[in-house]
Amino acid sequence: MYHPVHCNSCSCKRAMAVSCVDCYRPCRPGCTNQTCGVVAENPLVSTVTVGVSLGEDVVAVPSIIDGSSPAALAFILRFPITCGATYLLEGLPKGVNGILGLARTETALHTTHIQLIAHKFALCMPSSTAAKGVMIFGNGPYIFSPTHDDLPKSLMYTPLLVNPVSTSPVYSEAGPFVEHFIGVNPSESMALPSP
């Protein structure tokens, strides 16, 4: 159930708050007086809003038990969320309703809410816009139908790097840079064909 994160709370400090927000309208998700104000960003198009109210809610995530068999939904309690402006979705595919943070912060999904698994994830990109991709957290196994092969044997591992210079539009010089990057060797990269 949704509840606001109040200023000066532990959850607010973990979220690296930038302000304390008063919205002076009837209370609702994303609008509650004396709530933690955070930064909401769409890094794809470098759009940012500062002072967005932070709340917490329950999130249900599909889970698997042996790498292939669907299990019950895993419920993440007190998951940090913001209700930002719709322009923050600009440049994202049709049907996308939000952005999930995977940065090196205490409020990212993989660091606070799935603590019992390895800090690894697999991202399987679809081969067409009609298909859906999948993201899996932890060591696996990652077994998909119809072949039932354990995919880590054929996946490539790419370590996530920390950039010494932030690319985020809002950051603190004294604070750590939270973005992830991957190393790319320009001499080994190949040009993508034109659509």
Side-chain angles (χ1 to χ4, degrees):
M1 174 172 247
Y2 178 87
H3 65 89
V5 173
H6 293 285
C7 299
N8 302 318
S9 66
C10 291
S11 295
C12 187
K13 290 174 185 164
R14 278 196 305 272
M16 299 185 297
V18 294
S19 64
C20 192
V21 178
D22 287 316
C23 68
Y24 305 109
R25 290 183 295 209
C27 290
R28 60 176 173 77
C31 178
T32 308
N33 291 334
Q34 293 298 295
T35 55
C36 185
V38 295
V39 174
E41 176 186 358
N42 175 342
L44 186 65
V45 293
S46 297
T47 305
V48 66
T49 299
V50 179
V52 179
S53 293
L54 181 68
E56 292 177 333
D57 209 338
V58 177
V59 173
V61 180
S63 65
I64 52 177
I65 50 176
D66 61 3
S68 63
S69 302
L73 289 174
F75 292 95
I76 303 171
L77 305 177
R78 302 182 66 107
F79 186 76
I81 62 169
T82 61
C83 296
T86 55
Y87 67 79
L88 287 170
L89 300 176
E90 180 185 327
L92 298 176
K94 183 180 178 180
V96 171
N97 294 318
I99 299 171
L100 175 68
L102 295 172
R104 296 181 316 107
T105 65
E106 291 186 51
T107 56
L109 176 66
H110 61 294
T111 55
T112 41
H113 302 285
I114 308 180
Q115 296 176 355
L116 301 177
I117 63 172
H119 287 192
K120 294 180 180 179
F121 65 87
L123 179 62
C124 298
M125 305 280 248
S127 57
S128 75
T129 56
K132 292 184 178 181
V134 65
M135 179 176 270
I136 302 171
F137 293 90
N139 284 326
Y142 310 142
I143 300 171
F144 290 94
S145 296
T147 63
H148 296 289
D149 293 331
D150 188 1
L151 290 182
K153 294 174 184 168
S154 62
L155 295 177
M156 295 179 61
Y157 172 75
T158 303
L160 297 175
L161 308 175
V162 177
N163 195 8
V165 178
S166 179
T167 60
S168 176
V170 178
Y171 64 92
S172 166
E173 288 287 344
F177 299 131
V178 299
E179 301 104 332
H180 290 297
F181 295 86
I182 59 171
V184 176
N185 185 339
S187 64
E188 294 178 6
S189 62
M190 61 179 167
L192 295 175
S194 299

